Amino acid sequence: MGRTIAQKIFDDHRVGTPDADMHVIRLDAVFCHEITTPPAILDLERRDKDRVFDPDRIKVVIDHVSPAKDSKTALQGKILRAWAHRHAIKDFFDIGANGVCHAIFPEKGFVRPGYTVIMGDSHTCTHGAFGAFAAGVGTTDLEVGILKGVCAFKSPETMRINITGHLPEGVYAKDVILSVIGRIGVNGATNKVIEFAGPVVAAMDMESRMTLCNMAIEAGGTCGICEPDRTTVDYLWPFIKDQYDTPEAALADFARYLPDADAVYSTTIDHDVSALSPMVTFGYKPDNVKPVAEMAGTPVDQIYIGSCTNGRISDLRIAAKVLSGQRISDNVRAIVSPATPKIYAQALEEGLIKIFMDAGFCVTNPTCGACLGMSNGVLAEGEVCASTTNRNFNGRMGKGGMVHLMSPATAAASAIAGSIANSTLFNG
Amino acid sequence: MKSFNGKVLFLDRSDINTDEIIPAKYLTEISREALAPNLLEDLKMDGFDPANDIAGKAVVVTRANFGCGSSREHAPWALEVNGINLVVGESFARIFRQNMFNCGMMAVELPADTIDALFATFAGRETTATTDFEGGTITFSAGDVSRTVPFKISGFDADLVTAGGWVEYADANY
Ligand code: SF4
């Protein structure tokens, strides 16, 4: 019987089946940040098991609240720093070198096709863009990952979503994933892996694929996965060129993880995007989605461009294109957080930062910042934010605040208008 | 193995979510013990007063879909540091259930009519639960009334309980 990408990855990594439907798999990478890792570290100490399975497979970043904003967040950083140091974890990204976890780890080449990755963070599904199985987990699963390099999962049932047609100009991966979530609902992929495929995904660059997979969890998915192809190889080439003679050889090797033609899916959906227009959320659930045109004119107080969904260089380029030569409305304030130092430096070099600043944006250091409402742009009661992030839950960016999720193009256009607006890049 | 015996706290509602079990504002706490005073503090329910009703309890009996909401493992921890290692209900949210067994605690599902009967017979009375883990039964008693109910958990879940959680089990087996 044919197998899906996730089934092939499980078969390659299984080290035990403690129950008929439970698979213990070996992990290629365990990612850590300062919010969920300290409780795992302290528990390991308490159990007298302060060990790590392999310091080279553990990657650590301080990203959620950086620089620390108070004594509690400072302590979280302190515990993580000391732990990384005593276990000689060399891939530890502290302030000055840090960035949003799901942006910086792929950028460093830490994710490969066929990999298994866990992290104590629900948006770990982002890394599936590389043809990897990557899942967010709770603290105990993270703890066991750190200690033993294994994790237990139920059989990976897979849902296939073929993105078909042609993406219109001014419509982006963010609009695609919002429309998918709007269609299948916040429970549409619960307990399932989503394989994103079809001509539109094949034509997407890695950054767009990461945006797509990032929000698989917003439909309840354990992981979003894209088929590894030439685009994947080209992105990873600087990191794998010592392993393979040619990109073609790498591609042939990664083909092991392509789904079989007769793979068995629990559901298959064709999602045609040819008539898609830019999308925006309107409520407190990510499946409350409408075309921007239907929400146009809704006043906003703050614009936020950043996060693991849309804080990468291509996102900043699109936003800057919309903002070039423009000023943000007097009625709003606007914040941009390049997701990693590399992206920040690139944006400086390309003159994007100047465009943002000339337009009236505040440019922050790379961090999750306002995305989770803990620092760098928390909303006041009753305020509204036009945001390129991934969660619009009640209170997500500040108690009593409202978040509208959208693409960087729409966020930039909304900054200029002072209310939700379609960008000039879209002429639908 | 943890203890699954002691006084019972009855929570007569379905869909008690993780925010009600432990509010999000305590997620910056890095020690489990710090969560102890805040268990169920946002659970608004007639006849329930977290300040008085939790102390001394070791078992929770509740309705359906307990532990829905976020994936936070702080929910089982907040129960654990209050001495509660067993929650009995009609059903549980998937991640909460996994987190409980990962911590060597138990989330035991019983049929709706059994739960109804437990509430009808025991709620409002000082009730004690005694678990026979090997035999797969829990005996509830109040005064001279007592009722023994069978329960089933998977072999893997039982192994996690015996080992004291996924950390101990994984360290011994992988
Ligand atoms: S940017 Fe937001 S969603 Fe992404 S990891 Fe940080 S807090 Fe989570």
Side-chain angles (χ1 to χ4, degrees):
Chain A
M1 200 165 66
R3 295 175 301 160
T4 66
I5 302 178
Q7 283 164 348
K8 290 189 173 184
I9 296 176
F10 270 49
D11 286 347
D12 272 10
H13 290 78
R14 193 177 291 103
V15 292
T17 38
D19 233 326
D21 192 36
M22 253 330 190
H23 310 266
V24 178
I25 57 171
R26 178 173 51 77
L27 300 171
D28 294 305
V30 176
F31 294 159
C32 300
H33 65 52
E34 86 279 16
I35 302 284
T36 50
T37 314
I41 295 169
L42 296 182
D43 193 62
L44 286 168
E45 288 176 10
R46 187 177 65 79
R47 293 174 191 269
D48 218 6
K49 294 183 193 292
D50 181 20
R51 314 188 300 264
V52 300
F53 82 108
D54 181 351
D56 292 340
R57 290 185 181 274
I58 298 179
K59 315 291 179 185
V60 187
V61 68
I62 294 178
D63 62 349
H64 274 57
V65 185
S66 177
K69 63 167 178 146
D70 58 14
S71 309
K72 279 189 177 162
T73 49
L75 179 59
Q76 290 175 318
K78 185 180 173 187
I79 293 170
L80 198 64
R81 209 173 270 128
W83 171 76
H85 188 77
R86 76 174 170 270
H87 291 293
I89 295 171
K90 51 181 198 321
D91 292 313
F92 171 54
F93 303 97
D94 206 338
I95 188 154
N98 64 354
V100 176
C101 49
H102 309 306
I104 199 164
F105 292 143
E107 186 185 278
K108 300 280 178 190
F110 293 158
V111 190
R112 309 285 166 77
Y115 263 27
T116 52
V117 183
I118 63 163
M119 179 172 197
D121 191 283
S122 51
H123 292 100
T124 307
C125 51
T126 312
H127 308 284
F130 290 86
F133 174 81
V137 295
T139 306
T140 299
D141 281 337
L142 174 68
E143 203 174 319
V144 169
I146 288 169
L147 183 67
K148 304 299 291 184
V150 297
C151 195
F153 289 97
K154 296 214 159 183
S155 301
E157 238 187 84
T158 306
M159 174 177 200
R160 172 107 167 170
I161 302 185
N162 294 313
I163 312 287
T164 58
H166 289 279
L167 206 52
E169 219 172 303
V171 183
Y172 302 95
K174 180 64 160 284
D175 304 304
V176 173
I177 189 62
L178 286 174
S179 70
V180 167
I181 298 164
R183 173 168 172 182
I184 67 174
V186 291
N187 282 324
T190 298
N191 284 335
K192 293 187 181 121
V193 170
I194 304 177
E195 249 180 48
F196 291 107
V200 176
V201 179
M204 280 182 180
D205 61 15
M206 287 313 298
E207 299 199 352
S208 297
R209 293 180 192 178
M210 284 190 255
T211 302
L212 200 62
C213 292
N214 176 270
M215 291 188 73
I217 184 73
E218 266 62 57
T222 308
C223 181
I225 293 191
C226 298
E227 296 176 3
D229 61 8
R230 183 60 196 235
T231 305
T232 321
V233 170
D234 289 345
Y235 183 101
L236 289 173
W237 187 244
F239 310 103
I240 59 173
K241 61 182 182 344
D242 294 339
Q243 268 164 274
Y244 298 98
D245 292 338
T246 60
E248 287 70 28
L251 188 60
D253 186 25
F254 294 154
R256 282 184 288 156
Y257 296 107
L258 293 177
D260 291 328
D262 58 346
V264 178
Y265 296 96
S266 61
T267 335
T268 301
I269 289 177
D270 288 328
H271 191 71
D272 190 332
V273 294
S274 298
L276 188 68
S277 65
M279 303 300 276
V280 58
T281 62
F282 58 89
Y284 294 120
K285 278 167 64 207
D287 59 0
N288 296 153
V289 178
K290 276 185 191 170
V292 170
E294 287 178 30
M295 292 285 288
T298 308
V300 298
D301 301 291
Q302 175 171 294
I303 315 297
Y304 185 71
I305 297 178
S307 87
C308 58
T309 321
N310 283 123
R312 298 187 181 82
I313 191 68
S314 54
D315 301 314
L316 302 194
R317 282 184 192 136
I318 291 163
K321 197 165 168 189
V322 175
L323 289 166
S324 182
Q326 305 279 338
R327 284 284 302 173
I328 64 169
S329 156
D330 288 342
N331 303 324
V332 299
R333 54 187 191 270
I335 301 164
V336 57
S337 300
T340 69
K342 183 180 170 195
I343 295 165
Y344 198 150
Q346 224 170 329
L348 261 176
E349 212 174 277
E350 295 179 19
L352 310 181
I353 297 295
K354 181 160 177 7
I355 294 174
F356 280 110
M357 293 185 75
D358 287 348
F361 268 69
C362 157
V363 184
T364 82
N365 63 298
T367 174
C368 295
C371 172
L372 76 165
M374 281 179 81
S375 64
N376 271 7
V378 181
L379 301 178
E381 188 102 31
E383 284 190 324
V384 180
C385 186
S387 179
T388 69
T389 55
N390 49 36
R391 286 204 165 137
N392 56 346
F393 298 163
N394 192 357
R396 169 75 178 183
M397 293 180 83
K399 196 172 159 62
M402 174 78 182
V403 182
H404 295 288
L405 306 175
M406 57 186 72
S407 77
T410 311
S414 304
I416 298 164
S419 58
I420 294 177
N422 259 321
S423 82
T424 46
L425 304 178
F426 173 68
N427 44 29
Chain B
M1 195 163 93
K2 293 190 190 314
S3 161
F4 304 108
N5 305 321
K7 296 220 170 63
V8 180
L9 171 64
F10 287 93
L11 297 175
D12 194 1
R13 214 198 79 195
S14 286
D15 303 317
I16 292 177
N17 66 48
T18 50
D19 270 284
E20 291 169 316
I21 299 168
I22 186 76
K25 60 179 180 248
Y26 301 114
L27 301 188
T28 55
E29 296 297 348
I30 48 160
S31 97
R32 298 172 185 205
E33 286 67 28
L35 305 171
N38 311 110
L39 175 66
L40 296 168
E41 75 172 27
D42 279 357
L43 179 64
K44 305 275 181 286
M45 225 172 69
D46 280 349
F48 175 66
D49 171 16
N52 290 312
D53 295 349
I54 294 172
K57 300 294 191 324
V59 174
V60 167
V61 174
T62 185
R63 299 284 181 176
N65 198 28
F66 186 83
C68 58
S70 91
S71 64
R72 73 188 62 149
E73 206 160 305
H74 301 70
W77 296 343
L79 291 164
E80 184 185 19
V81 294
N82 277 281
I84 299 170
N85 296 320
L86 170 62
V87 182
V88 176
E90 199 184 315
S91 62
F92 295 92
R94 182 187 66 89
I95 297 176
F96 175 82
R97 194 182 166 289
Q98 186 65 45
N99 285 343
M100 285 287 283
F101 285 101
N102 273 351
C103 292
M105 301 160 75
M106 283 209 292
V108 168
E109 284 167 345
L110 295 179
D113 52 355
T114 309
I115 295 285
D116 282 343
L118 290 176
F119 272 99
T121 314
F122 297 106
R125 308 181 64 178
E126 181 149 318
T127 306
T128 305
T130 311
T131 303
D132 176 357
F133 184 75
E134 305 298 325
T137 63
I138 306 171
T139 302
F140 294 88
S141 47
D144 48 11
V145 187
S146 129
R147 198 187 151 109
T148 297
V149 297
F151 71 91
K152 250 189 125 80
I153 56 174
S154 77
F156 179 54
D157 287 341
D159 287 345
L160 294 182
V161 172
T162 315
W166 176 225
V167 177
E168 299 298 333
Y169 179 90
D171 201 19
N173 289 281
Y174 294 101

